[in-house]
Amino acid sequence: MKMENQFVLAIKKFAKSESFAGILLLCCALLAMIVANSPLAEGYAQLWKSKIGFDINGTFIGMSLEHWINDVLMAFFFLVVGLEIKREVLFGELAGFKRAALPVIAALGGMVGPGIIYYTLNMGTNSADGFGIPMATDIAFALGVLATLGKRVSISVKVFLVSLAVADDLGAIIIIAVAYSQGLSFGWLAVAAGIVCVLILLNKMGVKRLAPYMILGVFLWIAVHNCGIHATIAAVVLAFTIPVTPKIDTMSFMEKAKLVIGHFQEADKNKENILLQNEQLEALHHFAKHKNDVQNPLVRLEHALAPYSSFLIMPIFAFANAGVTIGDNINFSIDHIFLGILCGLVIGKPLGIFTFTFLAEKFGIAARPKGMTWTEVFGAGALGGIGFTMSIFVTNLAFKGEDAVMATDVAKISILIASLTAGILGSLFFILRDKATHHH
């Protein structure tokens, strides 16, 4: 029995750890690859094409499972990303120009470097549009690798990499909105803009309940989906309108809580049995209400959604998108997609991040966090080359034309190979640096 309990505890502890989300992602991606290259391959491919929706008088309303995952489920992922960005900009590592300057400039370098490498290799070909693929950094994966490195990586490196990944996500979102949107429908764009105005108005009027925001968010998603911009952008815009200030401040919460607890104790004195009295139940109810009122709505929503995003949505996305059947269809010589993604993520990322950080410090725009060495900046840049979720997301939007399916398959395999390479090289870099510093 004792063994079993320890095992359960160990699993629970692991599931709560930072590395779990990244490892789960990797497992789902590998599982997808295994299934796609097994006798189940055809079923796997058919599964994502199957339509889900309903018929109204002969008109089908719905989408393929693949679209449900990539457009609807991923909207929640982007909502969490948007909330993270807003929180970091207001209170976190991206608050204030001096603090935000470094991760933002580093992220910019980490996008420019890979983008230029990919574009130079694929200029003038059908695949040139894939320049956005190696620009992304996968925050869950990078954190997973960092967590497995443990004490070898200082806190400042973790903070630098996380804030860089958050800034990088914002960059990826802008690129998806600008470079990977089809012909715009201005009618729907106007509708979307109107909904955004209502959301901002709600925020300004001090509406703290999350329900109205979420309901409007659904309509915003529909409007954006129909106007030609990728629908997940709606989730990011929604996140930026979620209010930050709680309904009541901590002082008034403490006052109210004292009153409620006072009532609870009073009711307890004239109690005969172990059941709670009506007054006590009412007191608890009030307490729960105040508890919600004192919480910041943005953080409350982020805490509610983040576990679903990390442990459900991203793994499902990975399982649906990483499975590529490797056969005659994989033509690594399509333009230079493979080279562009591999060199972009493995070489372009650390070079771009390092160069931009270096220049930013030399020109006095930003400074490195205390105690963070240049080798650590380079190591963090190497880990920044893990571009899994966002890169695959961009791949699904990037290629057009008759080779699109083959190009997408090659790109996905390239992302897996490049991300693994970047993760391994980045880890080795920190392990060797750790050994070197211990010897001296």
Side-chain angles (χ1 to χ4, degrees):
M1 257 326 272
K2 192 146 192 273
M3 268 293 293
E4 200 174 289
N5 285 350
Q6 278 177 329
F7 179 67
V8 171
L9 279 175
I11 293 225
K12 276 187 178 162
K13 190 177 167 197
F14 175 60
K16 282 204 174 94
S17 73
E18 280 183 331
S19 52
F20 181 59
I23 292 168
L24 184 64
L25 254 192
L26 182 63
C27 292
C28 288
L30 291 175
L31 185 66
M33 287 297 290
I34 293 166
V35 173
N37 291 287
S38 74
L40 300 170
E42 213 160 284
Y44 174 85
Q46 286 309 311
L47 174 66
W48 313 117
K49 299 277 176 283
S50 53
K51 296 258 187 277
I52 294 178
F54 45 88
D55 237 21
I56 298 182
N57 303 335
T59 355
F60 177 76
I61 295 179
M63 297 180 282
S64 65
L65 182 57
E66 190 176 14
H67 274 112
W68 277 105
I69 292 168
N70 295 353
D71 294 1
V72 181
L73 265 189
M74 285 303 274
F76 287 99
F77 163 78
F78 276 88
L79 179 56
V80 174
V81 169
L83 293 168
E84 256 173 21
I85 294 171
K86 182 168 179 176
R87 186 185 41 140
E88 289 291 337
V89 167
L90 292 175
F91 314 108
E93 291 308 315
L94 303 179
F97 180 76
K98 263 291 187 226
R99 288 180 80 174
L102 189 76
V104 169
I105 291 168
L108 206 65
M111 297 178 84
V112 171
I116 289 175
I117 289 179
Y118 184 95
Y119 196 75
T120 315
L121 285 170
N122 291 283
M123 220 173 349
T125 67
N126 284 340
S127 311
D129 281 350
F131 67 88
I133 300 169
M135 287 185 173
T137 291
D138 193 298
I139 198 162
F141 252 150
L143 266 178
V145 175
L146 276 185
T148 48
L149 286 168
K151 296 276 184 290
R152 294 189 183 92
V153 182
S154 65
I155 291 292
S156 49
V157 175
K158 280 189 183 167
V159 170
F160 175 70
L161 189 61
V162 171
S163 38
L164 180 149
V166 170
D168 191 298
D169 279 344
L170 184 59
I173 287 159
I174 294 166
I175 284 173
I176 291 169
V178 175
Y180 297 118
S181 296
Q182 283 96 35
L184 290 180
S185 138
F186 288 102
W188 279 107
L189 198 60
V191 174
I195 297 172
V196 173
C197 291
V198 177
L199 282 163
I200 294 169
L201 194 67
L202 282 182
N203 188 327
K204 289 275 173 278
M205 280 163 49
V207 177
K208 303 291 183 227
R209 299 241 345 257
L210 288 170
Y213 292 94
M214 300 310 276
I215 292 164
L216 280 167
V218 174
F219 290 108
L220 180 62
W221 185 94
I222 294 168
V224 173
H225 183 76
N226 285 319
C227 83
I229 301 174
H230 200 271
T232 47
I233 303 297
V236 181
V237 176
L238 170 67
F240 289 165
T241 64
I242 301 287
V244 184
T245 44
K247 231 182 206 169
I248 55 176
D249 57 47
T250 8
M251 284 313 292
S252 38
F253 170 71
M254 280 166 16
E255 293 300 312
K256 288 183 167 161
K258 276 179 196 159
L259 274 173
V260 170
I261 289 170
H263 287 310
F264 196 91
Q265 282 174 323
E266 275 303 298
D268 207 50
K269 285 177 185 161
N270 22 3
K271 191 165 98 171
E272 287 94 48
N273 56 17
I274 52 169
L275 295 176
L276 288 180
Q277 295 208 337
N278 280 345
E279 290 92 5
Q280 287 177 309
L281 290 173
E282 202 169 305
L284 278 179
H285 174 71
H286 279 297
F287 193 81
K289 189 183 160 304
H290 298 323
K291 180 191 79 154
N292 278 348
D293 289 350
V294 77
Q295 281 177 332
N296 161 338
L298 179 130
V299 174
R300 204 169 86 219
L301 184 61
E302 194 189 334
H303 272 282
L305 291 178
Y308 290 104
S309 171
S310 303
F311 301 132
L312 189 70
I313 294 168
M314 284 163 74
I316 289 175
F317 175 79
F319 184 66
N321 288 281
V324 178
T325 308
I326 303 174
D328 310 336
N329 61 327
I330 298 300
N331 176 5
F332 278 117
S333 57
I334 301 185
D335 305 329
H336 290 297
I337 298 178
F338 176 68
L339 260 187
I341 293 175
L342 187 73
C343 297
L345 285 173
V346 178
I347 302 166
K349 271 285 180 193
L351 273 184
I353 289 170
F354 185 85
T355 312
F356 273 50
T357 311
F358 187 75
L359 292 174
E361 188 159 301
K362 282 289 165 276
F363 289 122
I365 308 166
R368 281 168 301 159
K370 281 190 183 60
M372 188 167 165
T373 60
W374 284 115
T375 37
E376 288 181 322
V377 172
F378 190 79
L383 288 179
I386 304 174
F388 189 72
T389 312
M390 270 301 187
S391 295
I392 289 187
F393 193 84
V394 173
T395 302
N396 290 333
L397 308 173
F399 300 111
K400 301 279 172 286
E402 69 256 39
D403 280 348
V405 179
M406 281 164 74
T408 306
D409 281 352
V410 172
K412 285 179 178 176
I413 288 194
S414 311
I415 292 165
L416 283 168
I417 295 172
S419 296
L420 280 172
T421 311
I424 292 165
L425 289 178
S427 307
L428 276 176
F429 184 84
F430 278 111
I431 292 166
L432 293 174
R433 196 214 51 154
D434 185 56
K435 284 225 162 79
T437 46
H438 279 212
H439 277 296
H440 287 301

